[in-house]
Amino acid sequence: MALGRREERQERREERRGGGRDAEVFQMREKLVSFGDDYWIETTGGRRAFKVDGKVARIRDTLVIRDMAGAEVAKVQERKIAIRDTMSIERPGRPDATIKKALISPLRERFTLSADDFADIDIQGNIVDHEYTFEVDGSKIAEVSKRWLRVRDSYGVEIDAGQDIGLILAATVALDQMSH
């Protein structure tokens, strides 16, 4: 029985990644993230998974990511005073994370996501075009790409099983803010 186009793409992606590792893919809207706006992060099947709530009435602009039950997963805030592009990611009950742009990145944009409860995550690729990877010690844990989705002005975020989905999505939202 012939596989459908979607299944063929998924199979090729799994082969490219080294086997059928479980991963979850989310759909993000391109350039619709702004302080004061709300939008949904959906699964590739179109099911709403997280809500991004833009808050402007604070000292620092804030984006709050909530799960479907309304519980806060992460809060993304810009840092007003920083030497290089930096945003903080507050996570309820866990240490805050920080995403910083590398000082020198001649060929590709590079960022580092760090906190006290996980190893530094290197993020590199073309952030503006939504083609980049999240890596820990050289191993890919998540990937962002426009190639997977046919929906206009959207891109996919594929997160390996066992990773902190809320943190990766919050970092993706932060990168979207930093690049625009």
Side-chain angles (χ1 to χ4, degrees):
M1 179 179 217
L3 294 175
R5 273 192 157 162
R6 184 180 217 163
E7 289 84 8
E8 286 176 3
R9 282 194 307 268
Q10 178 68 24
E11 190 174 279
R12 281 195 305 270
R13 190 166 49 246
E14 288 173 358
E15 286 173 8
R16 193 174 62 240
R17 295 181 56 154
R21 292 194 313 220
D22 290 330
E24 204 161 344
V25 180
F26 296 90
Q27 181 176 321
M28 307 280 285
R29 301 243 185 266
E30 184 179 352
K31 297 179 186 172
L32 292 181
V33 183
S34 65
F35 296 111
D37 291 342
D38 297 346
Y39 76 98
W40 291 97
I41 298 173
E42 301 174 342
T43 64
T44 52
R47 181 182 55 83
R48 291 178 170 179
F50 296 93
K51 181 180 183 181
V52 180
D53 183 10
K55 306 270 186 203
V56 192
R58 299 175 182 227
I59 295 171
R60 294 188 295 175
D61 291 334
T62 304
L63 293 166
V64 178
I65 300 172
R66 299 183 186 283
D67 63 17
M68 289 306 299
E72 185 176 305
V73 174
K75 185 185 298 179
V76 178
Q77 294 183 321
E78 64 181 348
R79 292 220 172 142
K80 295 286 186 186
I81 302 172
I83 295 172
R84 55 187 166 167
D85 292 340
T86 304
M87 291 192 91
S88 66
I89 301 172
E90 296 177 15
R91 304 174 295 155
R94 302 183 67 194
D96 291 352
T98 303
I99 188 164
K100 294 180 184 176
K101 186 171 186 171
L103 288 176
I104 300 172
S105 54
L107 301 175
R108 313 173 90 193
E109 293 175 282
R110 288 188 359 214
F111 293 81
T112 301
L113 178 61
S114 58
D116 291 339
D117 63 336
F118 59 83
D120 282 357
I121 298 173
D122 296 316
I123 306 163
Q124 61 181 341
N126 189 330
I127 306 299
V128 174
D129 286 340
H130 307 290
E131 298 290 340
Y132 55 94
T133 59
F134 290 76
E135 297 179 352
V136 174
D137 297 325
S139 296
K140 184 173 19 173
I141 62 167
E143 184 175 1
V144 174
S145 180
K146 291 176 82 171
R147 294 182 306 244
W148 308 325
L149 302 175
R150 298 274 185 232
V151 180
R152 187 171 177 234
D153 297 330
S154 292
Y155 58 97
V157 181
E158 183 179 60
I159 304 170
D160 285 354
Q163 300 303 319
D164 185 337
I165 291 171
L167 176 65
I168 300 290
L169 291 175
T172 303
V173 167
L175 288 167
D176 203 40
Q177 286 297 315
M178 294 168 83
S179 67
H180 293 102

